[in-house]
Amino acid sequence: MSAATDRPMRLGLFLQGAGHHVAGWRHPEAQFGGENLKLIQGIARTAEEGHFDLLFLADGLTSSADAHPSFVARIEPIALLSALAMGTKHLGLAATMSTTYTEPFHIARAFASLDHLSGGRAAWNAVTTSYARSSANFSRGDHPSHDDRYAIAEECIDVVRGLWDSFADDAFVKDKARGVYVEPDRVHTLNHEGRYFSVKGPLNASRPPQGHPIIIQAGSSLPGQRLAARTSEIVFTAQQTLVEGKAFRDGLRGFAVEAGRNPDHVMVLPGVCPVIGGTEAEAKALYAQLQGGIDPAAAILLLNDRLGHDVSGYDLDGPLPNLPESDQLQSRARLLTDLARRENLTLRELYYLVAGARGHRIVWGTPEQVADALEEWFVGGGSDGFNIMPPFFPTQFERFVGDVVPILRKRGLVRGEYVGNTLRENLGLPRPANQFFPD
Amino acid sequence: MSAATDRPMRLGLFLQGAGHHVAGWRHPEAQFGGENLKLIQGIARTAEEGHFDLLFLADGLTSSADAHPSFVARIEPIALLSALAMGTKHLGLAATMSTTYTEPFHIARAFASLDHLSGGRAAWNAVTTSYARSSANFSRGDHPSHDDRYAIAEECIDVVRGLWDSFADDAFVKDKARGVYVEPDRVHTLNHEGRYFSVKGPLNASRPPQGHPIIIQAGSSLPGQRLAARTSEIVFTAQQTLVEGKAFRDGLRGFAVEAGRNPDHVMVLPGVCPVIGGTEAEAKALYAQLQGGIDPAAAILLLNDRLGHDVSGYDLDGPLPNLPESDQLQSRARLLTDLARRENLTLRELYYLVAGARGHRIVWGTPEQVADALEEWFVGGGSDGFNIMPPFFPTQFERFVGDVVPILRKRGLVRGEYVGNTLRENLGLPRPANQFFPD
């Protein structure tokens, strides 16, 4: 690495069917990846050529054409990543799964399976499902409150980690002569009885190659940060300025120390949407073209979603009104409110800005300028790397890998090779001991 | 096809980690496929070389070392089949998923995803989960009764099929110029409100390539047969004699006609465990070797599971005692009771027989003899084909494909090629119309 830093910049690719910019799919070069396996396979290969640490899939439990075309139809993440594991060798494979709407036994099993299929490259983005509309697809009563969702998530993650530890690494002796397939005293029955879950165990999977698949979290509220600091290796977040980003990362590292962990084992990856042109003028024009493609009606719906309030009745050319706190995406809503106040944005300006990358930072410029922006943030302590959110696929991502990554490499900021076999090894993280078989 | 029949014999491969015979894994040639992707990929390729219609994965929601080593640890079926879809082109990919312990939204999405990833080769084996111990992993109260499980399954399957029909085939116009990604009037919101489920929809997946993935069922009780006749394309069953097998198939075809369906669109595939030797003596010796490897304690547990009663206290050399009806595997328990009475078996003889292939028929002999047994059953109207359950992998399955399939082909019983692109096309079944967009 360069003198500027002794840690490599981590790179995730946030794959989203129709690209991240809400109007990205309308660009002439854009292809639609929601259910297009061939396109997605090509993107995954490109990410691996760029030595990305991982490919990240968001998820949702509803079909929603209103806010973003990527949310209408998408392949279930575990199925998709299992397929992508076959055509890649080193790339980490991260899938989102809801602690509110999935049984911990199913979660533990899904990620153990992906870890086995990929030879130790699985990561679980544990989300609590912000959107209340999801409950309508799951025969439940009301969507739980923000606090309840985090209490459920706490318990769920502990159960999942307990299930991953069901078998000692040497449990499967498969001794044909003795007729012993698994050593009974190397199996742990969890017998979990908690406030939200009763799960007996053991899991019907041997211990994953990584011990525990990597855990990612994206909740930036205070309960979210504390949970992430205790249980996660990667935190995905939206931050608009380096000052905010650094404060967030410093805070999280503090919580990690409080939780008895090495703060370097919790990596903060803000989302960044790089809009890349051959010249500054070209990049600016591309950004303007993308912004020009935004449907105002869709943009306002997206803003409503992010704020947790319907603002469509307010004066679009006036300031953001004062709104009570939402129970939905608390931290994201606060981020946008701060942004609007700080930059003195009208409602219209805010929703066009948000629509671009759903509250994530957009960086437009030449490859050199994009690399500068990432370096400044990274060296300034605002992050441990980035989750790259191309405005559309595949050409904008190909430009990032072909033009930006070589600059980052020349500057000694990113690795030029994979250093391990598993995602955990590539991230420089130890394999956790089995809590029931510590030997 | 031969003069004997105008329909091809359908072949499924029932893949099970450690082989189907409970002691199969102890054979020197046996390899363990539970979590061994390389081995499983090789087996799938062999199945495709033999022009098998589908590869079938059972599943369970508990880890159980007692009854069969295959049940201790296995890769989650959708993840595994998504991976196998990448290395195969024609093979149907069938996964088991429980209507009792999985949300219909998750089920619909999983199989839509697999169907998209595989280009139309997905099949869902809808099971109600017989074993009460599964409930202990899912934070629920008691395991529902047999009748309730079937009522839940009825409603669940209807919801899943409704969700698969969320989008008209032409809904995704992706019109860049107009900025219309999906046509709003080509999307159906299910708004299902039933006795067990409330599911709003739409599904976040476009309509699967097959329209509806193939539905398989394995319940042989009367409610199970009626459900299968109304909703399924394939019925997997255990039958010990041709007379029973023919009665079962005739009955099911009758129910299909009652339900307004073409009876040829419901195919009955009994499980068969072929133990193949170069000579009759070799096959007999192999069968004896397998039976000799059975652990009596494990065998009695397996028999208990199948009967739904603990018979370990009874005289092993006496007859099967009279037992009240079980709520668990009703039809399988009756099958075994009938078998024991008919063949005048002691309890010990019965459990050794059951342990072999868990109540499925075992056929041992030369390739010619195995082919004879399958032909007799098929031509006699006992089945539409077979779900092949090799006693161990991979050599016994390689012998089936290398030695038995060519004989079946020479006799004109099986196809020598894939006739379509999707599983549905290969099975000669029409693509169902969308119930909400029939045009």
Side-chain angles (χ1 to χ4, degrees):
Chain A
M1 298 299 117
S2 74
T5 169
D6 56 353
R7 60 199 167 100
M9 180 193 286
R10 306 295 174 182
L11 290 180
L13 164 64
F14 188 163
L15 180 67
Q16 180 143 286
H20 283 279
H21 192 285
V22 70
W25 69 276
R26 299 182 66 182
H27 191 277
E29 290 174 10
Q31 293 178 45
F32 318 101
E35 292 172 327
N36 181 346
L37 179 65
K38 279 224 167 81
L39 176 65
I40 296 170
Q41 286 174 319
I43 293 167
R45 278 193 299 270
T46 303
E48 200 161 73
E49 282 160 22
H51 300 100
F52 270 57
D53 290 281
L54 52 89
L55 183 153
F56 176 93
L57 291 178
D59 195 36
L61 299 172
T62 54
S63 175
S64 157
D66 301 333
H68 197 297
S70 295
F71 304 161
V72 186
R74 41 184 163 192
I75 300 176
E76 190 281 320
I78 293 289
L80 179 54
L81 294 183
S82 298
L84 293 182
M86 299 301 100
T88 53
K89 273 193 170 170
H90 303 285
L91 190 63
L93 302 165
T96 296
M97 200 172 277
S98 168
T99 52
T100 305
Y101 292 104
T102 325
E103 296 280 349
F105 193 90
H106 286 317
I107 295 173
R109 195 179 179 206
F111 287 92
S113 293
L114 181 60
D115 213 44
H116 280 292
L117 286 172
S118 63
R121 297 187 279 139
W124 170 33
N125 179 37
V127 300
T128 69
T129 303
S130 305
Y131 300 116
R133 57 176 177 263
S134 303
S135 66
N137 286 329
F138 292 96
S139 313
R140 311 235 183 157
D142 289 340
H143 186 62
S145 73
H146 187 276
D147 286 352
D148 277 345
R149 292 203 307 276
Y150 273 91
I152 293 169
E154 288 269 358
E155 188 179 328
C156 178
I157 290 172
D158 288 342
V159 172
V160 167
R161 299 210 291 191
L163 288 171
W164 283 334
D165 287 343
S166 292
F167 293 92
D169 285 321
D170 61 2
F172 289 82
V173 291
K174 298 174 181 172
D175 185 329
K176 292 183 175 186
R178 282 195 298 140
V180 176
Y181 191 79
V182 61
E183 288 287 4
D185 62 354
R186 306 296 283 166
V187 185
H188 179 83
T189 302
L190 190 62
N191 283 320
H192 173 86
E193 293 285 344
R195 182 165 158 211
Y196 300 102
F197 300 109
S198 331
V199 182
K200 185 159 183 249
L203 188 64
N204 52 355
S206 66
R207 197 155 190 260
Q210 295 185 96
H212 296 175
I214 295 294
I215 296 182
I216 304 178
Q217 262 160 72
S220 297
S221 67
L222 208 59
Q225 287 184 54
R226 287 197 176 274
L227 178 65
R230 184 171 76 78
T231 61
S232 302
E233 283 90 13
I234 292 176
V235 176
F236 177 44
T237 180
Q239 302 291 340
Q240 285 285 343
T241 68
L242 176 53
V243 172
E244 283 170 348
K246 187 171 182 334
F248 178 82
R249 179 166 177 264
D250 289 346
L252 198 75
R253 290 173 67 85
F255 290 141
V257 171
E258 275 176 37
R261 294 181 66 204
N262 179 341
D264 293 339
H265 292 175
V266 187
M267 302 178 187
V268 177
L269 303 190
V272 172
C273 176
V275 178
I276 308 168
T279 62
E280 190 176 325
E282 199 183 301
K284 191 173 179 179
L286 175 56
Y287 180 59
Q289 182 184 5
L290 290 169
Q291 291 295 96
I294 296 176
D295 171 7
I300 207 109
L301 282 169
L302 219 153
L303 183 61
N304 289 344
D305 247 13
R306 293 281 138 168
L307 290 173
H309 291 284
D310 184 1
V311 293
S312 51
Y314 294 91
D315 176 11
L316 285 181
D317 295 309
L320 179 68
N322 287 317
L323 300 166
E325 186 160 85
S326 154
D327 194 55
Q328 200 161 287
L329 273 165
Q330 285 187 0
S331 54
R332 294 289 164 89
R334 207 169 301 127
L335 190 91
L336 294 178
T337 310
D338 292 351
L339 176 70
R341 303 271 181 264
R342 190 177 58 237
E343 310 269 337
N344 219 358
L345 301 175
T346 65
L347 204 49
R348 191 190 306 275
E349 285 166 338
L350 181 65
Y351 78 58
Y352 271 108
L353 196 66
V354 168
R358 304 188 314 289
H360 286 279
R361 192 169 152 235
I362 296 178
V363 175
W364 56 265
T366 63
E368 201 79 28
Q369 288 172 322
V370 170
D372 289 348
L374 300 184
E375 178 173 10
E376 182 200 1
W377 194 289
F378 175 68
V379 174
S383 80
D384 298 281
F386 301 94
N387 210 5
I388 301 299
M389 305 168 62
F392 55 84
F393 290 97
T395 52
Q396 276 287 301
F397 182 55
E398 286 162 2
R399 289 200 87 152
F400 187 88
V401 169
D403 300 340
V404 180
V405 168
I407 297 171
L408 297 173
R409 197 173 298 151
K410 206 177 288 171
R411 297 182 187 175
L413 292 165
V414 297
R415 307 188 260 86
E417 59 181 1
Y418 289 101
V419 298
N421 292 313
T422 68
L423 173 57
R424 209 169 255 287
E425 287 167 4
N426 280 320
L427 292 173
L429 297 170
R431 187 173 190 265
N434 188 316
Q435 58 193 298
F436 309 117
F437 303 100
D439 51 323
Chain B
M1 298 300 116
S2 74
T5 169
D6 56 355
R7 60 199 165 100
M9 179 192 288
R10 307 293 174 183
L11 291 180
L13 164 63
F14 189 164
L15 179 66
Q16 179 145 285
H20 283 280
H21 191 284
V22 71
W25 69 276
R26 300 183 66 181
H27 191 276
E29 290 174 12
Q31 293 178 42
F32 317 102
E35 293 172 327
N36 181 346
L37 179 65
K38 279 225 168 81
L39 175 66
I40 296 170
Q41 286 174 318
I43 293 168
R45 278 193 298 271
T46 303
E48 200 162 72
E49 282 160 23
H51 299 100
F52 270 58
D53 291 281
L54 53 88
L55 183 153
F56 176 94
L57 291 179
D59 195 36
L61 299 173
T62 54
S63 176
S64 158
D66 300 335
H68 197 296
S70 296
F71 304 161
V72 187
R74 43 183 162 192
I75 300 176
E76 189 280 321
I78 294 288
L80 179 55
L81 294 184
S82 298
L84 293 182
M86 298 302 100
T88 54
K89 272 192 169 171
H90 303 285
L91 190 63
L93 302 165
T96 295
M97 200 172 277
S98 167
T99 53
T100 305
Y101 291 103
T102 325
E103 296 279 349
F105 193 90
H106 286 317
I107 295 172
R109 195 178 178 205
F111 287 92
S113 293
L114 181 61
D115 213 43
H116 281 292
L117 287 171
S118 64
R121 297 188 277 138
W124 169 33
N125 178 37
V127 301
T128 68
T129 303
S130 305
Y131 299 117
R133 57 177 177 262
S134 304
S135 66
N137 286 328
F138 293 95
S139 313
R140 311 234 184 157
D142 289 340
H143 186 63
S145 73
H146 187 276
D147 286 353
D148 277 347
R149 292 203 308 275
Y150 273 91
I152 293 169
E154 289 268 357
E155 189 179 328
C156 177
I157 291 172
D158 287 342
V159 172
V160 168
R161 300 208 292 189
L163 289 171
W164 283 335
D165 288 344
S166 292
F167 294 92
D169 285 321
D170 60 3
F172 289 82
V173 290
K174 298 174 183 173
D175 185 328
K176 292 183 177 186
R178 282 196 298 141
V180 176
Y181 191 80
V182 61
E183 289 287 4
D185 62 352
R186 306 297 283 165
V187 185
H188 180 82
T189 302
L190 191 61
N191 283 320
H192 173 85
E193 294 284 344
R195 183 167 159 209
Y196 299 102
F197 300 108
S198 331
V199 182
K200 184 157 181 254
L203 188 64
N204 53 354
S206 66
R207 196 156 190 258
Q210 295 184 95
H212 296 175
I214 296 293
I215 297 183
I216 304 177
Q217 262 161 71
S220 296
S221 67
L222 207 58
Q225 288 183 53
R226 286 196 177 274
L227 178 65
R230 184 172 76 78
T231 62
S232 303
E233 282 91 13
I234 293 176
V235 176
F236 177 44
T237 180
Q239 302 289 341
Q240 285 286 344
T241 68
L242 176 53
V243 172
E244 282 170 347
K246 187 171 183 332
F248 177 83
R249 178 167 177 264
D250 289 346
L252 197 74
R253 291 172 68 85
F255 291 140
V257 172
E258 276 176 36
R261 296 182 65 204
N262 179 341
D264 293 340
H265 293 175
V266 187
M267 302 178 186
V268 177
L269 304 190
V272 173
C273 177
V275 178
I276 307 167
T279 62
E280 189 175 324
E282 200 183 299
K284 190 173 179 179
L286 175 57
Y287 180 59
Q289 183 185 3
L290 289 169
Q291 291 294 95
I294 295 175
D295 171 6
I300 207 109
L301 282 171
L302 220 154
L303 183 60
N304 288 344
D305 247 12
R306 294 281 137 169
L307 290 173
H309 291 283
D310 183 0
V311 294
S312 51
Y314 293 91
D315 176 11
L316 286 181
D317 295 308
L320 178 68
N322 285 318
L323 301 165
E325 186 160 87
S326 154
D327 194 54
Q328 198 160 289
L329 274 164
Q330 285 187 359
S331 54
R332 295 287 164 89
R334 206 169 302 129
L335 190 93
L336 295 177
T337 311
D338 291 351
L339 176 71
R341 304 271 181 262
R342 190 177 58 238
E343 309 271 336
N344 219 356
L345 301 175
T346 65
L347 204 50
R348 190 189 307 274
E349 286 166 336
L350 181 64
Y351 78 58
Y352 271 109
L353 195 65
V354 168
R358 306 188 313 289
H360 287 279
R361 192 170 152 235
I362 296 177
V363 174
W364 56 265
T366 63
E368 202 78 30
Q369 288 172 322
V370 170
D372 288 348
L374 299 185
E375 178 172 9
E376 182 200 1
W377 194 287
F378 175 69
V379 174
S383 80
D384 298 280
F386 302 94
N387 211 3
I388 301 299
M389 305 169 62
F392 56 84
F393 289 97
T395 51
Q396 276 287 300
F397 182 54
E398 286 162 2
R399 289 201 88 151
F400 187 87
V401 170
D403 300 339
V404 179
V405 168
I407 297 170
L408 297 173
R409 197 172 298 151
K410 205 177 289 172
R411 296 182 188 176
L413 292 165
V414 297
R415 305 187 260 87
E417 59 184 1
Y418 289 101
V419 298
N421 292 313
T422 68
L423 173 57
R424 209 169 256 289
E425 286 167 4
N426 280 320
L427 292 173
L429 297 170
R431 187 172 190 267
N434 188 317
Q435 59 194 295
F436 309 118
F437 303 99
D439 51 321

